[in-house]
Amino acid sequence: MDASHIADDLTHVLYTDAQIQARLAEMAVELDEVYKDKNVLMIGVLNGAVMVMADLSRHMTSHVENDWMAISSYGSGTQSSGVVRILKDLNTDIHDRHVLVVEDIIDTGLTLSYLISNLLSREPASLEVMTMFRKPDAANNDVEVKYVGFDIPNEFVVGYGLDFAGKYRNLRDVGTLAPHVYS
């Protein structure tokens, strides 16, 4: 889906598909160098990281393995409950593996902080975090993120895996959702 198809739902486009793909290609070069001899396992955080991990994997020239986790820090509403739960765990043993956690967006960092603690208890050889988007003004947990695609404003954004009520994940661009859509 292109932003032009839903122009009334967005206040503006932050990053186009072309900009996102160019940044992923740059990050892939760096990651290929870092993990060239290390048999990296990329762990995607469902559902939002599907687009990022698929495209990042395709930009890389080295072999990578993929696995997925589903984590929730939300109850039935739109506000975080403060309780983090694993909804789907890994199928892969990460003991002594080089692990790269791939996120679509880091907002407050609550869920990621829990995830990192959980994964470190499994004793990987190394553990780093990559996110396509980060909201530095929203962060309230000290989580080290080594690879960041773009820092974005603390706005309600959709597209490229980011959703509102299950919609907009297939938007190729990332844009700020118009308040009339979620009010």
Side-chain angles (χ1 to χ4, degrees), residues 68-90:
W68 301 93
M69 289 186 81
I71 311 290
S72 176
S73 64
Y74 291 90
S76 58
T78 58
Q79 296 295 316
S80 175
S81 65
V83 177
V84 179
R85 298 180 320 145
I86 295 176
L87 303 177
K88 187 230 174 275
D89 207 344
L90 297 171

Side-chain angles (χ1 to χ4, degrees), residues 147-183:
Y147 307 101
V148 177
F150 300 104
D151 280 330
I152 61 173
N154 192 13
E155 298 174 344
F156 199 137
V157 296
V158 293
Y160 199 66
L162 305 168
D163 75 311
F164 171 67
K167 296 179 182 174
Y168 306 102
R169 284 194 198 276
N170 61 326
L171 175 62
R172 289 182 189 95
D173 307 317
V174 169
T176 301
L177 193 62
H180 73 83
V181 177
Y182 59 88
S183 297

Side-chain angles (χ1 to χ4, degrees), residues 3 8 12 16 23-24 31 33 46 74 80 83 108 110 182:
D8 291 342
H12 60 280
T16 66
R23 182 66 182 119
L24 282 169
L31 291 168
E33 182 60 29
L46 296 170
Y74 291 90
S80 175
V83 177
T108 65
L110 170 69
Y182 59 88

Side-chain angles (χ1 to χ4, degrees), residues 5 15 17 30 41 55 72 83 93 103 114 118 146 148 157-158 173:
H5 296 128
Y15 293 100
D17 180 49
E30 183 178 1
L41 173 67
D55 287 347
S72 176
V83 177
D93 180 7
E103 281 272 26
Y114 171 83
N118 180 287
K146 188 164 186 175
V148 177
V157 296
V158 293
D173 307 317

